[in-house]
Amino acid sequence: MEIKGTTKVTGVFGYPVSHSLSPVFQNSAFKYLGLDYVYIPFEVKPQDLKEAVKAIKIFHWIGVNVTIPHKKQVIKYLDELDENSKILKVVNTIHNTDGKLKGYTTDGEGFLRSLKEDGKFKPEGKNVFILGAGGSSYAICGALINEKVNSIFITNRTLENAKKLKKNLVEKLKFKNIEIIEFEKRNDKKIWQNIDLLINTTSVGMKENDPLLIEKENIEMVKFVYDIVYNRKTELLKTAENLKIPYLDGISMLVYQGAISFEIWTGKKAPVDIMKKALYEKI
Ligand code: ATR
C-alpha cells in the first residue's frame, strides 16, 4: 500500500482498539479495488472523543467506524443521523461530506445481509428467539422487524434490560409480537415448538468454558442458528453443526457491517469475498 498526498483516510475509534480486525479486511478491500484509501485504528480514550471527532473535520478524513465504548457517546458530536441511528441511539459509522458528519449504524443491516446472502435464510414471517438485550440485540431486532418477522422471543440475564428493549421496539417500530422469556425459563419446551431462527447476541461463547445456554433438544427444533461471537467456534455452533442445522458465526456479520461502511465511504460495492478471505487468513 502506497500512502500519497491524495490518500483518503478512514479508520476506527475505539478503546481499546488494538484487537480490531477491521483494518485487515478494509485495507484488503481498498487494495483489491485499487482505491487510494487507507484504514487506520485510532485509540481514543473516552475523555478525548470530542476532540477526536473534531479531528475528522480538521484532517478531512472520509470517515471512521466507532466501536466500544463510544457508540452511544459519539452521537452528540455529529451533525446528522440516519434513521436507524436515531431509533437505536447508536452509531458505528461516521461519514464526512464537506465537513458535515453523518452517523450511521450498520450492524443491523450487516446482520441481515449476512443472514440472507451467506445464510440463504429469509426472515420474513419467521419466529425468532434472541439471547441478549444489549446493543447488538437492539440492532438485530430492529433489522428483523423491518424484514417483517412474525414474532420475537427475547431472553436476557438481566430481565430489566429485556423489558427496556421490548418497550423501545414496541414504541419506535410499532411491533407488538414480542415476548420476554425469563432467563430461568429459557429452556421451557413449549417455547421451542415453532422457533425458526435462534440468535446469540451475548458474549457467552467467547471463552472456552462458556456454557451452552440453550439445551440441545431445543436447538434441534430450530431451522437456523446464528452466533455473533466471532473469535472461536462456540458450543452453540458446534451443537448446530452436530445436529446438521445450518449456522453462521459473527465473522459474516463483521464483514457485512464493514462492507456497508465501505460502501458509504467509497460509493462502491464492497468486495465481500475478498474481505472474508482476508479475515479468515488473519484468524
Ligand atoms: P453488545 O453491544 O455486543 O450487545 P452489550 O451491550 O454489553 O454488548 O450486551 C451484552 C449482552 O450479553 C447483554 O445482553 C448481557 O446481559 P445483561 O443485560 O444481563 O448484562 C449479555 N451477557 C453478557 N455476559 C453474560 C453472561 N455471562 N450470561 C448471560 N448473558 C450475558
Side-chain angles (χ1 to χ4, degrees):
M1 178 184 305
E2 193 196 346
I3 306 286
K4 297 178 281 195
T6 50
T7 303
K8 296 184 172 73
V9 175
T10 67
V12 54
F13 288 177
Y15 189 75
V17 80
S18 56
H19 65 282
S20 173
L21 292 168
S22 300
V24 175
F25 63 80
Q26 295 290 6
N27 284 318
S28 70
F30 293 145
K31 190 171 167 204
Y32 178 77
L33 292 183
L35 298 174
D36 187 16
Y37 283 66
V38 66
Y39 188 101
I40 306 167
F42 296 105
E43 187 176 276
V44 176
K45 290 188 178 146
Q47 65 268 30
D48 297 328
L49 183 62
K50 187 178 178 185
E51 301 302 313
V53 174
K54 242 193 230 167
I56 302 172
K57 292 189 186 183
I58 294 171
F59 295 118
H60 308 286
W61 295 339
I62 293 296
V64 291
N65 284 133
V66 182
T67 185
I68 291 165
H70 306 310
K71 284 184 175 191
K72 281 182 186 292
Q73 303 308 326
V74 78
I75 288 183
K76 53 181 175 288
Y77 307 125
L78 303 179
D79 301 307
E80 208 187 323
L81 294 179
D82 80 333
E83 276 313 303
N84 283 335
S85 304
K86 272 186 212 160
I87 292 171
L88 301 168
K89 298 197 179 70
V90 288
V91 156
N92 78 338
T93 304
I94 299 174
H95 187 205
N96 178 13
T97 39
D98 303 323
K100 211 173 75 186
L101 303 184
K102 182 167 178 180
Y104 297 81
T105 173
T106 68
D107 287 339
E109 190 55 32
F111 168 81
L112 260 191
R113 267 177 70 178
S114 142
L115 185 66
K116 293 202 283 190
E117 291 177 35
D118 280 356
K120 312 284 176 229
F121 185 92
K122 288 200 193 72
E124 188 176 346
K126 301 294 198 305
N127 303 309
V128 187
F129 190 102
I130 300 197
L131 287 160
S136 306
S137 181
Y138 266 72
I140 287 173
C141 286
L144 287 170
I145 290 169
N146 287 338
E147 283 292 296
K148 302 190 168 43
V149 288
N150 179 53
S151 66
I152 298 181
F153 294 79
I154 302 169
T155 196
N156 194 52
R157 180 180 60 179
T158 311
L159 186 65
E160 267 318 296
N161 293 341
K163 283 185 181 166
K164 268 189 228 157
L165 170 57
K166 175 174 173 172
K167 187 169 178 276
N168 221 329
L169 296 172
V170 170
E171 281 174 8
K172 303 261 173 60
L173 298 175
K174 314 286 173 225
F175 184 79
K176 295 198 179 66
N177 215 352
I178 303 174
E179 196 173 321
I180 296 173
I181 308 293
E182 283 174 40
F183 201 60
E184 297 68 31
K185 296 187 180 154
R186 66 189 182 277
N187 278 303
D188 273 8
K189 294 282 166 285
K190 61 177 188 305
I191 306 166
W192 292 91
Q193 304 294 329
N194 293 313
I195 301 295
D196 301 294
L197 172 62
L198 163 61
I199 307 167
N200 175 44
T201 73
T202 75
S203 45
V204 178
M206 282 172 78
K207 294 194 286 312
E208 200 161 330
N209 293 318
D210 279 352
L212 183 62
L213 293 177
I214 302 300
E215 288 166 6
K216 193 173 169 187
E217 300 78 68
N218 292 330
I219 299 173
E220 198 163 14
M221 312 286 277
V222 312
K223 299 188 182 71
F224 200 100
V225 174
Y226 202 116
D227 196 333
I228 72 163
V229 171
Y230 61 76
N231 65 323
R232 60 185 292 276
K233 190 178 265 184
T234 60
E235 289 311 308
L236 177 60
L237 294 186
K238 284 180 197 163
T239 308
E241 190 168 71
N242 286 338
L243 293 167
K244 299 196 167 39
I245 296 169
Y247 65 88
L248 278 175
D249 61 30
I251 289 277
S252 175
M253 177 171 165
L254 185 67
V255 165
Y256 280 96
Q257 60 82 30
I260 299 167
S261 301
F262 179 99
E263 289 166 5
I264 290 169
W265 295 326
T266 65
K268 299 209 162 23
K269 185 125 183 67
V272 225
D273 290 340
I274 297 296
M275 295 165 103
K276 252 185 256 169
K277 192 166 160 272
L279 251 186
Y280 277 115
E281 275 170 11
K282 178 76 187 171
I283 51 178

